[in-house]
Amino acid sequence: MQDIFFEEEKMATLTQRKRSEVPVEETWDLTAIYADDKAWEEAFKEVSGQEETVLSYRGRLAESADTLYSALMMMEDLGCELGKLASYAMHASDADTADQDALGRKAKLMQVFASLQGAMAYFEPEAAKLSEETVSQFMEEKAELKDFRHYFAEMWRVKKHQLSEKEEVLLAKASQIFNDPNQTFDVLSDTDMTFPEIKDEKGRTVEMSHARFGTYMESRDRRVRRDAFSSMYDSYGQFRNTCAQTLAGQIRVNTYIKDVRGFASGREAALFENNIPESVYDSLLEAVNARLPLLHRYVSLRKKIMGLDEIHSYDLYAPLVKDIDLKFSFEEAQEIILKALQPLGPEYLAVLKRAFSERWVDYADNAGKRSGAYSGGAYKTRPYILMSWQGTMDNVFTLAHELGHSLHSWFTRESQPYQYGDYCIFLAEIASTTNENLLTEYLLKTAADDKMKAAVINHYLDGFKGTVFRQTQFAEFEYMIHQADENGIPLTASYLTENYGALNRHYYGADLTFDEAIALEWARIPHFYYNYYVFQYATGFSAATAFAEMIREEGQPAVERYLNFLKAGSSDWPIEVLQTAGVDMTKPDPILKALDTFEAYLEEFERVML
């Protein structure tokens, strides 16, 4: 594996590389969007000032079938170009958040985007006023409009929560302001905040970062884990009031929007967007809370295997299998993933190979890089992946996870017209986690011995803990703080810390020794700014478990249904898309079956390890 750090001569301190020092093969190929920054600037000029073109259709959508179709195509062309501009600007900035030129492009684009959103604000309210009779007549007159049947059905569904044209314009123009709390948190967390150095397992002084935090939390050296934990949370503790202010600001935005749009709660407003019944959220919380003894049992098992008198939060991610040190190069990870995903068939594998050969993935670890991992891109771009490679098994699973997102995006964009060329958040985590499930099964089948098998099960259990139990904990906290804000309770740092700490105790049980610092975890979770995003990790994991089981048991028929799911995009409401593919998330069955799978793996792990 290529060393991801460089060591300065005659120094023991390992520092992160600058972006300019990263080999090109470790980076994504943004030239597939624009050849260079100059080409981006030229495209930006073309889009700037398009408000007049957008407004030229105002008040004319009912004029004729041709006028309506022309307006829809204008919106599509503009949306595609904005998507390309945004992908290039955002990805370049995320690769190096200290790059001032990239930050400048992103800021310029946000201003233009807000202005264009304001100009576009009339479109959906005016289109929603078209009667079903008029639209049906237009579809008969112009066959191309039939591709918009579900698009109009969705417009009519949300019509009752739309405001007047003037009010919609005001909201659209305020979009950049509404995003300020999130943007401020991102800059604070990813750029301005620094973390105390620690000593690694070899006694070398290392700079702490978000990417390295996960690696050190998996260290076999307890001192390293404890020091990394302290470095991270001491830093966030210094900014707890600032983080509380930014998070409270974001929640207030959500509460304001639900009020002006006439929803009973922020949760109803957030789930309404994708037509998800609130009962799905409640079922998740109820099912997971009912099975929390499984998580308590896992914590107790971890404590016993590690031989600890006390188990702390910084002990929850360390590998439990001794005398095995799994490290993977990026190239080795590619080979493993290609083999693990063979059950998905040749059509899927062909696109997967393109992801590697066309450099969809930016896996370099460099200073200033945005923390975490994601799959991005737009309708007319490649579905790019950002991550920071550390060579761990977790990295292999992260790569498989993000490739699931990217191939979902690729199949959707290739199969659906622009208006259906994306998928909602509720579906987003299913394809990614299906990949993880298939990777787990492959690694267990090919494990050389019980020790390797135990390491894979260890990873699965930790992944389930993080994706189902932990994300449900986050979902419960998110619901709690939204309710608090809606009831006039100030979201101060002390309120957030006290309630998060109590919830953490509830989820992990009496065997986990409570660390005061873990009560600050709320301060470093970017997903709390995403407005009821996190619960979908848990529901997505459950649906993915169902898909993986069907693919394993049924073979090709299940693969065909799964590929059709990947290709469906937003051509139907998400609950219906899943039901067509054979998974019904309106019932608790997928969640309970996923918890059963966790219990089965837990029992196998107990057998192997004790």
Side-chain angles (χ1 to χ4, degrees):
M1 174 187 172
Q2 184 175 348
D3 194 4
I4 56 175
F5 307 122
F6 70 90
E7 187 166 5
E8 295 184 6
E9 189 176 358
K10 298 181 181 179
M11 292 184 66
T13 300
L14 295 178
T15 58
Q16 284 185 296
R17 295 171 298 182
K18 297 177 182 178
R19 182 67 178 182
S20 60
E21 297 166 330
V22 173
V24 67
E25 59 267 21
E26 296 183 24
T27 68
W28 43 30
D29 181 15
L30 298 185
T31 64
I33 309 177
Y34 296 109
D36 50 30
D37 296 346
K38 182 179 178 181
W40 185 93
E41 293 288 353
E42 291 173 354
F44 176 78
K45 290 177 183 177
E46 289 292 322
V47 168
S48 301
Q50 289 294 313
E51 289 85 353
E52 186 175 340
T53 300
V54 173
L55 291 169
S56 68
Y57 289 94
R58 182 178 176 182
R60 298 176 54 214
L61 299 185
E63 192 176 274
S64 68
D66 285 336
T67 299
L68 177 60
Y69 183 71
S70 178
L72 289 166
M73 290 300 96
M74 177 274 299
M75 297 290 280
E76 175 178 329
D77 291 342
L78 187 57
C80 286
E81 198 57 46
L82 281 170
K84 290 172 63 180
L85 287 165
S87 292
Y88 187 93
M90 301 298 180
H91 291 339
S93 180
D94 287 348
D96 184 0
T97 58
D99 184 334
Q100 296 303 302
D101 290 337
L103 283 171
R105 285 192 294 273
K106 187 166 72 169
K108 285 200 308 183
L109 182 63
M110 290 298 291
Q111 291 174 349
V112 169
F113 187 73
S115 178
L116 285 169
Q117 273 194 312
M120 295 174 183
Y122 76 89
F123 191 88
E124 289 197 3
E126 183 176 329
K129 291 179 182 177
L130 297 172
S131 68
E132 293 186 47
E133 181 182 1
T134 297
V135 173
S136 296
Q137 179 183 334
F138 283 175
M139 287 179 181
E140 291 300 317
E141 296 174 6
K142 196 167 189 67
E144 293 89 339
L145 285 172
K146 292 181 180 178
D147 288 338
F148 290 86
R149 194 179 301 277
H150 180 69
Y151 172 84
F152 280 103
E154 175 65 9
M155 272 192 185
W156 292 321
R157 185 180 72 86
V158 304
K159 185 177 180 179
K160 64 180 180 179
H161 292 288
Q162 285 180 331
L163 308 176
S164 69
E165 180 183 326
K166 183 177 180 181
E167 290 167 330
E168 289 290 347
V169 169
L170 290 173
L171 279 180
K173 288 188 174 182
S175 61
Q176 189 174 3
I177 299 171
F178 290 157
N179 200 41
D180 276 349
N182 186 14
Q183 293 288 327
T184 302
F185 171 77
D186 284 348
V187 171
L188 171 67
S189 181
D190 293 333
T191 304
D192 289 346
M193 192 178 293
T194 58
F195 308 99
E197 296 175 338
I198 68 168
K199 299 282 187 181
D200 69 7
E201 295 89 339
K202 296 180 180 180
R204 299 173 300 186
T205 301
V206 294
E207 295 178 354
M208 269 295 295
S209 67
H210 291 288
R212 292 177 181 177
F213 178 68
T215 300
Y216 292 133
M217 289 297 286
E218 295 177 8
S219 172
R220 296 183 184 277
D221 188 326
R222 198 179 194 207
R223 191 268 309 161
V224 172
R225 298 197 302 270
R226 185 176 59 246
D227 290 352
F229 183 83
S230 296
S231 176
M232 180 63 64
Y233 285 102
D234 286 352
S235 298
Y236 276 95
Q238 293 176 15
F239 294 96
R240 69 182 73 194
N241 293 310
T242 301
C243 291
Q245 186 67 26
T246 57
L247 180 56
Q250 191 64 59
I251 302 304
R252 283 195 295 270
V253 167
N254 299 342
T255 299
Y256 173 77
I257 291 174
K258 75 92 178 172
D259 285 341
V260 299
R261 292 203 179 279
F263 288 98
S265 69
R267 190 178 74 170
E268 181 193 9
L271 271 61
F272 178 84
E273 181 178 352
N274 296 318
N275 204 19
I276 307 296
E278 286 191 85
S279 59
V280 173
Y281 202 103
D282 290 329
S283 293
L284 172 66
L285 298 187
E286 290 169 9
V288 171
N289 271 274
R291 303 292 293 275
L292 278 180
L294 283 175
L295 181 56
H296 302 166
R297 177 177 162 190
Y298 174 70
V299 172
S300 178
L301 175 63
R302 176 173 274 277
K303 179 181 178 182
K304 185 181 298 184
I305 292 172
M306 296 178 77
L308 299 173
D309 294 330
E310 290 186 349
I311 184 168
H312 290 257
S313 294
Y314 50 78
D315 297 316
L316 292 177
Y317 300 92
L320 295 176
V321 184
K322 295 180 179 179
D323 302 322
I324 185 169
D325 187 18
L326 299 173
K327 287 290 183 180
F328 305 87
S329 69
F330 187 76
E331 292 71 25
E332 289 169 338
Q334 291 182 51
E335 294 178 13
I336 291 169
I337 290 170
L338 284 167
K339 292 176 181 176
L341 301 184
Q342 281 185 352
L344 296 179
E347 185 179 4
Y348 191 94
L349 289 178
V351 181
L352 190 60
K353 291 174 182 176
R354 286 184 58 184
F356 296 131
S357 66
E358 296 177 355
R359 285 174 44 215
W360 295 5
V361 187
D362 192 300
Y363 63 92
D365 179 32
N366 58 262
K369 189 171 186 178
R370 174 176 167 160
S371 62
Y374 68 72
S375 169
Y379 187 73
K380 290 290 189 179
T381 77
R382 295 169 179 173
Y384 292 101
I385 293 170
L386 176 138
M387 65 181 301
S388 295
W389 193 257
Q390 303 289 325
T392 64
M393 180 186 286
D394 186 61
N395 281 168
V396 180
F397 275 89
T398 297
L399 179 58
H401 179 102
E402 299 304 336
L403 284 166
H405 285 310
S406 285
L407 267 71
H408 190 182
S409 298
W410 191 91
F411 278 112
T412 290
R413 294 165 188 169
E414 287 292 307
S415 306
Q416 296 295 333
Y418 175 78
Q419 63 270 23
Y420 307 134
D422 201 357
Y423 45 86
C424 73
I425 294 171
F426 187 74
L427 300 179
E429 295 304 326
I430 296 173
S432 55
T433 315
T434 298
N435 277 10
E436 290 196 64
N437 277 295
L438 293 174
L439 177 57
T440 297
E441 293 177 9
Y442 171 79
L443 291 174
L444 288 176
K445 286 179 183 178
T446 59
D449 50 37
D450 281 347
K451 188 167 290 186
M452 177 64 180
K453 189 174 293 187
V456 175
I457 297 175
N458 183 185
H459 185 276
Y460 176 86
L461 295 174
D462 281 351
F464 193 103
K465 167 175 63 73
T467 306
V468 178
F469 287 115
R470 187 167 184 251
Q471 299 300 327
T472 303
Q473 175 191 347
F474 287 174
E476 191 165 343
F477 180 71
E478 188 172 13
Y479 186 39
M480 177 194 304
I481 61 178
H482 273 85
Q483 285 186 306
D485 183 71
E486 290 163 19
N487 290 323
I489 298 174
L491 298 182
T492 62
S494 58
Y495 176 88
L496 295 167
T497 302
E498 179 182 348
N499 282 278
Y500 189 87
L503 196 60
N504 201 76
R505 285 190 179 98
H506 170 65
Y507 266 75
Y508 288 93
D511 270 332
L512 183 69
T513 299
F514 182 71
D515 297 291
E516 293 293 336
I518 198 62
L520 289 167
E521 188 173 36
W522 61 267
R524 57 174 289 262
I525 305 302
H527 289 80
F528 287 150
Y529 294 79
Y530 296 177
N531 196 16
Y532 286 100
Y533 186 103
V534 293
F535 87 97
Q536 291 154 127
Y537 281 111
T539 55
F541 193 105
S542 302
T545 301
F547 273 126
E549 181 179 330
M550 289 189 293
I551 290 166
R552 181 177 63 252
E553 294 181 355
E554 298 179 35
Q556 188 58 31
V559 170
E560 290 179 4
R561 291 200 305 274
Y562 181 68
L563 289 176
N564 286 334
F565 157 73
L566 297 182
K567 296 173 181 178
S570 56
S571 60
D572 203 347
W573 287 295
I575 290 293
E576 281 70 19
V577 168
L578 282 175
Q579 287 175 337
T580 300
V583 178
D584 189 353
M585 289 306 297
T586 64
K587 299 177 181 178
D589 298 8
I591 300 166
L592 295 173
K593 289 181 78 172
L595 288 161
D596 288 342
T597 301
F598 176 83
E599 185 173 16
Y601 275 121
L602 182 59
E603 290 174 353
E604 176 66 11
F605 195 59
E606 289 170 336
R607 183 192 67 77
V608 172
M609 296 297 293
L610 296 181

